Amino acid sequence: MRTHLSKQQEEFFANLRSGAWALPAGIRNLGINPREWLKEVRYGYTLYEWPNAGDRDIQPDRVFGGWIAGFSDHIVSMTMASALEDGEWFTTTELQTRIFRPVPNGLITIEGRLVSRGRTTGFVEADWRDQQGRHLARISAAKAIRSREELGPKT
């Protein structure tokens, strides 16, 4: 079993982190900033640190749940991307967001992990924690894995 990023994914994450290419409109419009927030990536794992300043709150110390779901889709997608072989890409087929308690202001840590990886499907999860280590949310997602030619970013 492979434990490192494929050559394709090493290049993908290097470009994502360096700003070598523009973020997709959906990521940009949601205000997601992987260049600053993605702290670690390895095969089947991502670590994000989001400095929540309150600009996505629906009320004080309570982040809008739709934004949590949108940001989480990005995180579990990057986690899935870390486990792809050269020539593969993916699409989300199911996304479940469970918010256990309000997401407060401050530094929020989100860890994404690959749970299962088959030839045509993947299952990933992400856990949100606040500065005190409290479990705020769990996200799970199913991913359909296809050829990069069929689903990959258009260059």
Side-chain angles (χ1 to χ4, degrees), residues 109-130:
T109 302
I110 308 109
E111 289 186 280
R113 70 190 163 286
L114 177 68
V115 175
S116 179
R117 165 58 159 101
R119 189 177 56 80
T120 60
T121 59
F123 189 79
V124 288
E125 291 182 334
D127 288 304
W128 289 53
R129 296 192 185 278
D130 65 12

Side-chain angles (χ1 to χ4, degrees), residues 17-95:
R17 294 173 107 177
S18 72
W21 39 259
L23 294 172
I27 302 302
R28 204 173 48 248
N29 292 340
L30 282 172
I32 295 170
N33 190 350
R35 290 180 191 117
E36 291 183 20
W37 303 344
L38 176 59
K39 301 302 182 185
E40 185 180 344
V41 61
R42 61 182 187 263
Y43 181 87
Y45 178 83
T46 57
L47 173 65
Y48 281 74
E49 291 180 351
W50 172 46
N52 179 15
D55 56 339
R56 290 170 180 86
D57 286 0
I58 196 155
Q59 63 186 53
D61 275 323
R62 188 172 170 190
V63 175
F64 174 58
W67 194 86
I68 293 170
F71 183 27
S72 293
D73 189 27
H74 165 76
I75 293 166
V76 293
S77 292
M78 294 303 94
T79 305
M80 185 73 245
S82 75
L84 295 177
E85 300 293 340
D86 290 341
E88 292 181 327
W89 206 247
F90 65 93
T91 190
T92 302
T93 58
E94 181 181 349
L95 179 70

Side-chain angles (χ1 to χ4, degrees), residues 9-25:
Q9 295 317 100
E10 283 179 6
E11 183 179 316
F12 172 82
F13 282 105
N15 287 333
L16 178 69
R17 294 173 107 177
S18 72
W21 39 259
L23 294 172

